[in-house]
Amino acid sequence: MQFHVMNSPFNQEQVDLLNQLLPVLSTRQRIWLGGYLSAVQDTELDHSSGGVALLEKPTSNDKDVNQELTILYGSQTGNSQGLAEEFSEKLARDGLKINLFSMSNFKLNTLKKIENLLIIVSTHGEGEPPDNAIPFYEFLLSHRAPKLEKLNFSVLSLGDSSYEFFCQTGKEIDQRLLELGANQICPRVDCDLDFDELATDWFNRIEAKLNEQRNQATPQVEQSVNHSTISNQPVYSRKNPFQAEILENINLNGRGSNKETRHLVLSIEGANFHFEPGDCLGIYPENPPELVDQLIEKMNWDKEEPVPINKQGDLLPLRDALISEFEITVLTKPLLQKMAAFTTDSRLEERLRSDQELSAYLYGRDLLDLVEDFSPWQVEASEFVKVLRKIPARLYSIASSLRANPEEIHLTIGTVRYHAHGRDRMGVCSYECAENKQIGEHLSVYIQQNDNFKLPADPKTPLIMIGPGTGVAPFRAFLEEREELNCEGETWLFFGDQHYVTDFLYQIEWQQWLDNGTLTRIDLAFSRDSEEKIYVQHRMIENSKAIYEWICKGAVIYVCGDEKHMATDVHQTLITILEQEGGISQLEAEEYLMEMQKEKRYQRDVY
Amino acid sequence: MTKRITLPPQSGTPSDVERIKDESNYLRGSLAETLENPISAGIPDDDNRLMKFHGSYLQDDRDLRNERRRQKLEPAYQFMVRVRAPGGVASSEQWLVMDKLANKYGNGTLRLTTRQAFQMHGILKWNMKKSIQEINKALMDTLAACGDVNRNVMCNPNPYQSEIHSEVYHWAQKLSADLSPQTNAYHEIWLDGKKVVDSKKTEEETEPLYGKLYLPRKFKIGIAVPPNNDIDVFSQDLGFIAITKKDQLIGFNISVGGGMGMTHGDTATYPQIGRVIGFCRPDQLLDVAKKVITIQRDYGNRSIRKNARFKYTIDKRGLDWLIKELNDRLGWELAEAHDYQFDHNGDRYGWIKGNNNHWHFTLFIQNGRIKDQADYPLMTGLREIAKIHTGDFRLTPNQNLMISNVTDDKKQEIEKLIKQYMITAGEQHSALRRNSMACVAFPTCGLAMAEAERYLPSLIDKIELIIDEAGLREQEIVIRMSGCPNGCSRPALAEIGFIGKGPGKYNMYLGGSFVGDRLSKLYKENIGEEEILASLKPLLFQYAKEKEENEHFGDFVIRVGHVKAVRSGLDFHD
């Protein structure tokens, strides 16, 4: 077989070497090499799984099955990964032998050998799997999936109930594993944005089950866990956020813009945060006090009344709880179902009967709308808050490099403002960053690792960065980092927004990076400056030859920003470019891009 | 062999602008490329120097400069485009094109300049080519509206003597055309003309008058028709004063070496008034102009730009040297100057019937800015008039506008529109305001040190309270304000002049003449509004009380000894 760049995962240089070598090998040499490579690959894969390193390969020794367990996670924003790592650590301490993989790093053909499997997977967008779960998900749902009658498993699915296809990926995987004959250790649990308590419950049940099984088996020597990674965990975390002072808060959009994009500089002095370009910052927002006050007034409650904020029964005054603990700006179907019990207005029940009408109602409305629309209400405040979701953290790609700005974190936050149902409204975090919080005030933050969006290890690797609008944030961090490290590799940014004059985010910085060579090329698309709307994908097509050349010389492609339109269009455009310039079919181009994704040469951080 | 224009050797190293011109290949530079560069809305400094020759320069909205820097945005770069109109004459069709471009690509306003040109502000780099192409289609251009060449030729828009106007205007057009740069760069860059770089062409063939270094500095020419000195003939590098006999144009007196610009704190720089050196017949006019320009080309200071205007070339060597040099180059001698009499340098507002039986309506435009305001839809009104007007428009040297050559038939229709859009000849304003003029200054002009156009109207509001009290509402007083000492609004010739020093601070000058033939004198330095008003109040009250019959304010302050009369720029700083 002759290797080509397009039919193999190798670059041109490697292809040439392989084509030179392979035809002259004897049969014995080939077999030896094949065995050698697969053994090496297995070890490497285990080491790259992140968080917990496996020191011993899974064995087929029947006596050990109960003590060996594989955890797979599919994570977009890092929550699943975080849980997977936390649970791995605990189970390892219990003396289990844990194999922890990101779904994208998991060797699909080993699935049928596994006997105990935990899956923690989130759902992205409209019921889609997260990027790094796609290979596993597609394999599992395809005809190629093997029978799994020996497999014991449980699924923890994360999601957001404000989306129609809540926890869809977890549900599908759970369903499919059952179809393939696997046995549930514990039933699947679907978590909403406030996943902590449910996830812990799920884990505790599993831990108990596993201990039960273990007591029947011979004790196992405790396996080593890569503690260095764990001990490096900062003191501050998602559950214990750091109070970061706001040092700077400016609008990056010039006068006359339709947009407002805040550039936030936060002090992380004393936080002992470690993060890399590509990682995210979680912010726990506060609800607008005016909205809370209106809600309390409408319901005729006492704002000082203590209400429970968790299952442990911790109490906070109602007003404080509604500001900082509960989500009140988003309506979901489960919420309305629970709320229906509190009102005598039967129209709410009617609404709930038609999904179409319901989603039309949910869109753009908040809790104040609900209580205004379906009064009178008969519910105590302490009962009422029990049906509310915990206010979820918002994740933002960090726009600065820790190396370049050691005590700071910079964020690029698009302010969401809209008028709906008779009121001006804002996104909760937008509101907080654009209007509520002044310089000197604090935000509750934590670092959320994002292993799916990382600079390549080799500083010479060329980067193609596609990040219109606030999607440009991580690329600012990339270039800051590369400037600090004096990286030689070429970089190419595609940026776009509405208007050149007002919306060219961080314009001066890109100009300087172009001047000093940190940035090699930039191509711009301002959609509202010309009669025809120009977007980044148009600029990509104009440069398809050059993009293809960059891909051939090993460039990593990063896409950050809007998922629904931009990322889809960019994805299609990449396929078109591979098709056109590589002279291959659409199917081959798709496969090639999939391959790039597996090799982390195509990374996305889309939302 | 390439024939070259050889300049006499000069002491001092040539200024950076000389290098830029030298390397520019006849005003091309790298403009074609930098105009295309999408990373910045600006262009590099060197190209901006060349851009001026093409009638435009890069500016930015200075109101936003700091704000945008904090926002990590480059300055709000935009281009000012100046459209030449010799003698300020434009057809209705041309007016409509200006109006359209100002609204389509510019900031929605038009600016009539103190040199009878159109100015548009706020044009983005990406729209420059389209704008200039549309201007070109309307048979106008921007070439040489700025830069080290002859600028827009001014001429009195004389509404009274129609034949004299058309004759004088004819010469203004001829001057403009004959003194234009000949380089093909303008066509190449803006009009997608083919690149014609003929290496066999000599410098004399490519740019026969100017040579590849062009002039050391800008050069200004204007033609006045007494008794009106509206073009401020003595502020021009080269001024012509039309001499008529029995309503026939017989020739021109020649004035040389006027100019307004100076630098604060540098007494080697000063405003100067032109001096009349002789007379020529109309058919000799072009010859005189070209020879004068070659003298400035050869002898003007190419080392220090602020000493490069023609006035310094002359003052350094004396008027006699100039006359001899000119006569030598002409090959004939200038005749003796004729008598002439100027009465004023302002505009006469309202309807006037010319001797061709056509009507002319001069309207007052505050500081030349044409825009729509909620209570004064001037821009719309003029657009509606242009749609039906069969005559022409004339931009006056005082930044006002004349709707010219209105037939008896059309007059009623136009009067109706004037009423409908509340367009005004300024009769409701004080005579002081009607004789006021300010340059553009903030936020677009990069040179401005203080406000001018945006501030003078409100300052006049406050001075009006004083003149009303003093009973001087109908007394014509020329008041002018410039944001910097370059003096685009010609403040050094005003009876009351203000030159910006810093934000809210001005030097106040007094004692210019009402006819524009005497310079003003510094009266108070670096003062703010409070002190301006406190200084003017006693002067105006004294003037109201003690003025002699028909005595103008500028003459009065000299007679009673508040300031000394300045007859030459060399005495300006004394």
Side-chain angles (χ1 to χ4, degrees):
Chain A
M1 169 183 177
Q2 189 78 13
F3 285 103
H4 300 287
V5 171
M6 299 307 298
N7 71 6
S8 71
F10 304 115
N11 67 28
Q12 192 59 52
E13 199 187 343
Q14 295 168 327
V15 160
D16 291 343
L17 287 170
L18 286 169
N19 286 335
Q20 236 173 15
L21 177 70
L22 292 177
V24 300
L25 292 180
S26 70
T27 312
R28 201 180 142 262
Q29 284 173 323
R30 285 185 199 212
I31 291 168
W32 186 91
L33 188 63
Y36 171 77
L37 286 178
S38 79
V40 169
Q41 200 175 347
D42 283 352
T43 334
E44 279 177 357
L45 218 51
D46 297 337
H47 281 296
S48 63
S49 59
V52 181
L54 179 77
L55 299 182
E56 209 171 294
K57 267 168 49 65
T59 65
S60 54
N61 184 340
D62 279 350
K63 284 178 187 167
D64 291 337
V65 290
N66 289 338
Q67 277 71 45
E68 183 164 340
L69 180 123
T70 299
I71 301 181
L72 292 182
Y73 62 86
S75 189
Q76 192 78 27
T77 60
N79 285 331
S80 299
Q81 182 179 349
L83 290 172
E85 286 169 1
E86 183 187 330
F87 297 157
S88 293
E89 194 194 338
K90 283 189 184 157
L91 291 172
R93 284 207 198 111
D94 290 347
L96 275 91
K97 182 174 170 189
I98 305 301
N99 308 314
L100 173 68
F101 295 107
S102 150
M103 286 178 175
S104 60
N105 284 337
F106 177 67
K107 264 181 92 179
L108 299 170
N109 59 8
T110 62
L111 180 60
K112 57 176 179 288
K113 296 181 200 158
I114 294 175
E115 307 214 354
N116 290 313
L117 174 67
L118 298 183
I119 285 181
I120 304 173
V121 66
S122 64
T123 295
H124 200 49
E126 299 300 326
E128 286 144 32
D131 278 355
N132 67 1
I134 291 174
F136 177 81
Y137 171 85
E138 289 190 342
F139 171 77
L140 191 70
L141 272 77
S142 76
H143 291 295
R144 287 174 56 215
K147 287 281 166 202
L148 297 170
E149 276 126 354
K150 278 196 270 174
L151 181 71
N152 303 308
F153 78 98
S154 184
V155 174
L156 178 69
S157 52
L158 303 188
D160 177 347
S161 64
S162 64
Y163 285 88
E164 191 180 348
F165 299 99
F166 174 56
C167 287
Q168 182 73 9
T169 304
K171 288 175 185 170
E172 283 175 311
I173 289 175
D174 188 48
Q175 184 62 33
R176 180 64 176 159
L177 287 172
L178 288 172
E179 278 171 26
L180 294 170
N183 320 298
Q184 274 183 339
I185 303 170
C186 294
R188 185 190 78 242
V189 169
D190 295 335
C191 300
D192 208 346
L193 290 174
D194 49 350
F195 55 81
D196 283 319
E197 286 174 9
L198 280 178
T200 306
D201 287 352
W202 173 79
F203 176 74
N204 290 340
R205 280 201 296 278
I206 286 176
E207 196 179 29
K209 267 269 165 61
L210 290 171
N211 282 336
E212 201 178 297
Q213 287 177 359
R214 207 161 62 113
N215 290 339
Q216 295 159 12
T218 45
Q220 176 80 12
V221 179
E222 191 170 327
Q223 293 299 319
S224 307
V225 161
N226 188 345
H227 284 288
S228 69
T229 315
I230 292 157
S231 60
N232 273 350
Q233 293 288 314
V235 182
Y236 294 102
S237 65
R238 194 172 55 77
K239 286 181 183 168
N240 179 28
F242 176 73
Q243 294 300 307
E245 185 185 351
I246 301 174
L247 300 178
E248 197 175 283
N249 182 353
I250 51 176
N251 181 9
L252 292 172
N253 296 97
R255 283 194 208 183
S257 175
N258 301 323
K259 294 205 166 175
E260 179 178 337
T261 313
R262 309 303 303 190
H263 175 74
L264 240 65
V265 177
L266 303 178
S267 166
I268 52 164
E269 207 185 325
N272 193 27
F273 277 161
H274 297 285
F275 62 92
E276 286 174 46
D279 285 339
C280 296
L281 189 77
I283 300 181
Y284 284 106
E286 290 183 355
N287 289 310
E290 307 88 72
L291 184 66
V292 169
D293 290 340
Q294 281 174 284
L295 190 63
I296 292 173
E297 194 191 322
K298 183 78 201 165
M299 297 298 279
N300 252 327
W301 286 326
D302 173 10
K303 65 180 180 180
E304 300 298 340
E305 180 189 337
V307 294
I309 55 164
N310 52 26
K311 280 187 181 165
Q312 290 76 48
D314 294 332
L315 298 174
L316 263 190
L318 176 64
R319 185 172 186 273
D320 296 349
L322 289 178
I323 286 175
S324 57
E325 297 294 324
F326 295 106
E327 183 176 73
I328 62 169
T329 55
V330 174
L331 297 181
T332 63
K333 187 178 177 181
L335 176 68
L336 262 64
Q337 283 166 335
K338 291 172 201 156
M339 290 283 287
F342 302 148
T343 176
T344 52
D345 189 339
S346 60
R347 289 174 306 148
L348 182 51
E349 285 287 0
E350 282 162 36
R351 283 269 181 191
L352 280 161
R353 264 174 233 135
S354 154
D355 276 350
Q356 221 175 344
E357 264 186 56
L358 181 69
S359 48
Y361 181 77
L362 296 181
Y363 185 76
R365 285 192 167 84
D366 58 29
L367 209 50
L368 182 61
D369 295 304
L370 184 74
V371 301
E372 279 176 344
D373 291 346
F374 299 103
S375 57
W377 297 90
Q378 286 165 342
V379 59
E380 293 300 315
S382 54
E383 285 305 303
F384 172 81
V385 297
K386 282 183 190 159
V387 306
L388 298 178
R389 294 202 293 195
K390 278 290 182 68
I391 197 162
R394 268 60 170 178
L395 289 179
Y396 295 95
S397 298
I398 295 173
S400 59
S401 138
L402 190 60
R403 241 184 207 87
N405 303 284
E407 306 267 81
E408 294 176 354
I409 282 181
H410 302 183
L411 298 175
T412 313
I413 301 181
T415 304
V416 181
R417 288 178 199 273
Y418 57 101
H419 187 90
H421 314 298
R423 264 195 286 141
D424 287 327
R425 294 152 197 259
M426 290 179 81
V428 178
C429 223
S430 306
Y431 165 82
E432 186 161 34
C433 297
E435 305 219 326
N436 201 24
K437 291 275 175 169
Q438 306 298 317
I439 288 171
E441 293 190 77
H442 293 79
L443 291 174
S444 300
V445 304
Y446 63 93
I447 298 289
Q448 180 85 41
Q449 268 184 39
N450 183 3
D451 288 345
N452 303 312
F453 209 75
K454 280 283 167 295
L455 281 167
D458 182 355
K460 290 202 182 93
T461 308
L463 316 182
I464 296 177
M465 302 168 285
I466 301 154
T470 52
V472 86
F475 304 132
R476 184 174 179 268
F478 279 18
L479 291 193
E480 279 192 354
E481 179 90 353
R482 286 173 72 97
E483 188 179 33
E484 283 298 309
L485 295 172
N486 277 318
C487 292
E488 283 167 32
E490 292 182 297
T491 55
W492 186 354
L493 175 70
F494 287 86
F495 175 76
D497 212 310
Q498 287 188 354
H499 294 289
Y500 175 90
V501 175
T502 54
D503 306 330
F504 192 170
L505 306 181
Y506 301 111
Q507 177 182 24
I508 294 174
E509 297 181 358
W510 309 120
Q511 289 176 346
Q512 286 165 352
W513 280 323
L514 274 171
D515 279 348
N516 71 20
T518 306
L519 182 59
T520 315
R521 284 188 70 166
I522 188 170
D523 278 273
L524 302 164
F526 291 97
S527 60
R528 307 231 177 138
D529 281 344
S530 51
E531 275 159 38
E532 273 173 64
K533 289 193 172 175
I534 305 281
Y535 296 108
V536 281
Q537 60 268 27
H538 299 120
R539 296 294 183 222
M540 290 170 66
I541 281 289
E542 287 168 19
N543 291 287
S544 51
K545 193 163 179 289
I547 289 179
Y548 183 71
E549 283 166 11
W550 280 53
I551 291 173
C552 288
K553 62 185 176 188
V556 182
I557 299 174
Y558 297 89
V559 181
C560 182
D562 167 69
E563 179 179 28
K564 213 169 186 176
H565 304 290
M566 187 276 293
T568 314
D569 291 342
V570 164
H571 187 82
Q572 280 312 314
T573 304
L574 284 170
I575 289 171
T576 307
I577 289 171
L578 289 169
E579 241 181 287
Q580 272 177 12
E581 303 295 326
I584 55 175
S585 73
Q586 188 186 331
L587 203 67
E588 285 169 315
E590 281 169 10
E591 278 171 11
Y592 187 82
L593 203 55
M594 184 77 89
E595 198 58 39
M596 284 184 69
Q597 204 154 9
K598 274 191 207 156
E599 292 170 18
K600 303 213 165 198
R601 283 187 55 204
Y602 175 37
Q603 303 186 23
R604 308 199 310 166
D605 178 6
V606 294
Y607 37 84
Chain B
M1 207 185 87
T2 305
K3 219 174 152 197
R4 302 202 47 190
I5 291 168
T6 330
L7 303 178
Q10 287 192 1
S11 59
T13 42
S15 72
D16 205 38
V17 180
E18 294 299 307
R19 172 192 59 80
I20 295 167
K21 286 185 279 189
D22 192 21
E23 293 169 356
S24 76
N25 184 22
Y26 299 98
L27 310 181
R28 289 173 177 84
S30 55
L31 270 171
E33 296 88 65
T34 54
L35 283 165
E36 296 283 323
N37 177 0
I39 310 310
S40 169
I43 55 173
D45 289 348
D46 278 14
D47 279 340
N48 194 27
R49 282 288 180 179
L50 298 172
M51 194 73 177
K52 296 183 182 183
F53 290 82
H54 297 263
S56 172
Y57 31 104
L58 178 67
Q59 306 184 320
D60 72 288
D61 186 335
R62 294 178 63 185
D63 286 348
L64 304 182
R65 206 180 268 178
N66 278 329
E67 175 178 312
R68 286 180 63 92
R69 188 182 41 72
R70 284 194 296 272
Q71 292 180 306
K72 305 177 193 295
L73 294 167
E74 71 176 13
Y77 286 128
Q78 46 181 263
F79 286 84
M80 181 278 285
V81 170
R82 195 177 285 160
V83 181
R84 282 203 295 188
V89 177
S91 68
S92 286
E93 292 75 28
Q94 288 172 331
W95 183 274
L96 290 172
V97 170
M98 289 297 110
D99 178 85
K100 186 180 96 183
L101 291 178
N103 284 296
K104 190 171 168 191
Y105 297 126
N107 64 0
T109 76
L110 266 178
R111 184 65 154 75
L112 313 183
T113 77
T114 55
R115 291 195 69 73
Q116 299 176 283
F118 289 99
Q119 225 165 260
M120 280 178 275
H121 293 270
I123 299 183
L124 294 179
K125 188 164 90 170
W126 348 106
N127 294 327
M128 280 295 290
K129 214 162 170 171
K130 287 178 264 186
S131 301
I132 290 185
Q133 287 178 354
E134 291 204 36
I135 290 165
N136 187 62
K137 258 192 267 169
L139 304 179
M140 294 197 277
D141 66 20
T142 66
L143 179 65
C146 332
D148 297 342
V149 283
N150 175 53
R151 302 287 188 83
N152 195 39
V153 178
M154 297 180 73
C155 118
N156 165 247
N158 191 345
Y160 302 95
Q161 303 150 288
S162 310
E163 276 153 37
I164 300 277
H165 177 261
S166 80
E167 218 173 331
V168 169
Y169 172 56
H170 163 78
W171 289 113
Q173 284 179 303
K174 278 294 281 178
L175 281 168
S176 182
D178 280 27
L179 305 178
S180 282
Q182 298 299 299
T183 173
N184 200 49
Y186 186 81
H187 273 79
E188 280 173 23
I189 293 170
W190 306 110
L191 308 176
D192 289 325
K194 273 209 201 94
K195 216 163 194 159
V196 207
V197 190
D198 188 349
S199 53
K200 275 176 263 167
K201 246 185 160 183
T202 66
E203 185 170 325
E204 279 202 341
E205 281 164 342
T206 310
E207 206 61 278
L209 178 65
Y210 294 116
K212 70 170 182 175
L213 294 177
Y214 295 85
L215 294 181
R217 198 75 167 79
K218 62 186 166 190
F219 197 87
K220 297 177 172 180
I221 299 178
I223 311 176
V225 182
N228 191 348
N229 187 25
D230 53 358
I231 68 141
D232 272 325
V233 73
F234 301 115
S235 73
Q236 314 283 340
D237 291 282
L238 176 60
F240 294 104
I241 301 163
I243 303 297
T244 55
K245 220 168 220 175
K246 293 177 189 159
D247 280 342
Q248 292 286 314
L249 178 73
I250 60 162
F252 302 92
N253 279 355
I254 301 153
S255 161
V256 293
M260 291 291 97
M262 61 167 172
T263 305
H264 281 314
D266 181 354
T267 52
T269 66
Y270 48 84
Q272 180 59 291
I273 46 175
R275 283 133 288 170
V276 175
I277 56 168
F279 171 87
C280 70
R281 297 191 313 269
D283 61 300
Q284 296 170 321
L285 178 89
L286 292 171
D287 197 14
V288 169
K290 285 182 187 173
K291 295 293 165 21
V292 168
I293 283 177
T294 61
I295 294 172
Q296 165 65 356
R297 178 196 70 196
D298 295 345
Y299 291 101
N301 188 331
R302 289 185 184 264
S303 179
I304 304 168
R305 279 183 71 78
K306 60 186 180 180
N307 292 130
R309 286 286 293 275
F310 191 37
K311 58 186 174 183
Y312 303 113
T313 312
I314 297 171
D315 290 350
K316 193 174 167 189
R317 296 168 179 82
L319 214 50
D320 292 342
W321 165 83
L322 177 79
I323 293 166
K324 182 174 178 304
E325 182 75 28
L326 180 57
N327 286 342
D328 285 353
R329 291 194 183 208
L330 286 167
W332 49 270
E333 298 210 342
L334 299 179
E336 204 167 302
H338 287 237
D339 286 342
Y340 62 91
Q341 180 70 47
F342 284 130
D343 285 351
H344 60 91
N345 63 357
D347 288 336
R348 308 292 91 168
Y349 296 102
W351 285 106
I352 283 162
K353 191 171 193 179
N355 59 7
N356 63 351
N357 285 324
H358 286 176
W359 291 89
H360 308 267
F361 183 77
T362 304
L363 52 130
F364 170 72
I365 294 174
Q366 183 122 298
N367 299 324
R369 182 68 68 178
I370 291 172
K371 61 178 174 186
D372 278 342
Q373 285 168 291
D375 53 347
Y376 189 30
L378 175 64
M379 195 169 202
T380 303
L382 290 173
R383 185 184 312 128
E384 293 308 312
I385 289 172
K387 283 179 188 167
I388 62 151
H389 178 43
T390 52
D392 51 19
F393 288 91
R394 294 181 196 167
L395 282 53
T396 84
N398 289 297
Q399 310 180 140
N400 293 311
L401 183 66
M402 195 182 290
I403 303 164
S404 271
N405 280 320
V406 179
T407 57
D408 276 329
D409 302 349
K410 282 276 173 193
K411 185 168 178 260
Q412 236 181 346
E413 245 181 292
I414 288 182
E415 269 182 328
K416 215 179 117 195
L417 288 170
I418 286 173
K419 211 173 230 162
Q420 184 183 339
Y421 290 99
M422 301 170 284
I423 290 171
T424 172
E427 58 276 0
Q428 76 276 35
H429 298 305
S430 66
L432 178 78
R433 192 183 298 270
R434 293 199 301 265
N435 283 282
S436 68
M437 188 151 80
C439 71
V440 176
F442 282 102
T444 49
C445 179
L447 301 169
M449 299 169 169
E451 295 282 352
E453 179 186 328
R454 294 197 298 195
Y455 172 54
L456 185 61
S458 72
L459 179 65
I460 290 177
D461 288 343
K462 288 161 188 160
I463 301 175
E464 275 174 342
L465 298 176
I466 300 171
I467 58 170
D468 283 351
E469 208 184 325
L472 293 170
R473 192 167 179 87
E474 287 309 315
Q475 179 63 45
E476 292 195 290
I477 301 172
V478 175
I479 180 168
R480 294 172 177 178
M481 177 176 277
S482 265
C484 81
N486 289 292
C488 287
S489 64
R490 305 190 284 273
L493 288 170
E495 297 181 275
I496 303 172
F498 297 99
I499 297 180
K501 281 279 275 187
K505 297 285 183 182
Y506 299 85
N507 283 356
M508 185 164 102
Y509 297 83
L510 297 175
S513 73
F514 187 68
V515 301
D517 62 356
R518 185 178 63 227
L519 291 167
S520 59
K521 186 88 196 156
L522 181 65
Y523 179 68
K524 286 267 170 79
E525 201 171 354
N526 208 18
I527 57 174
E529 182 175 279
E530 212 173 306
E531 208 175 340
I532 289 170
L533 296 172
S535 306
L536 279 176
K537 192 168 182 175
L539 291 173
L540 289 165
F541 271 90
Q542 189 190 12
Y543 171 59
K545 214 162 103 190
E546 299 173 18
K547 84 186 191 76
E548 291 174 353
E549 207 185 331
N550 295 327
E551 187 180 30
H552 287 286
F553 183 67
D555 300 331
F556 168 79
V557 292
I558 288 169
R559 181 174 63 79
V560 302
H562 291 299
V563 291
K564 276 198 287 185
V566 181
R567 300 268 169 208
S568 163
L570 296 167
D571 305 326
F572 184 77
H573 294 295
D574 284 349

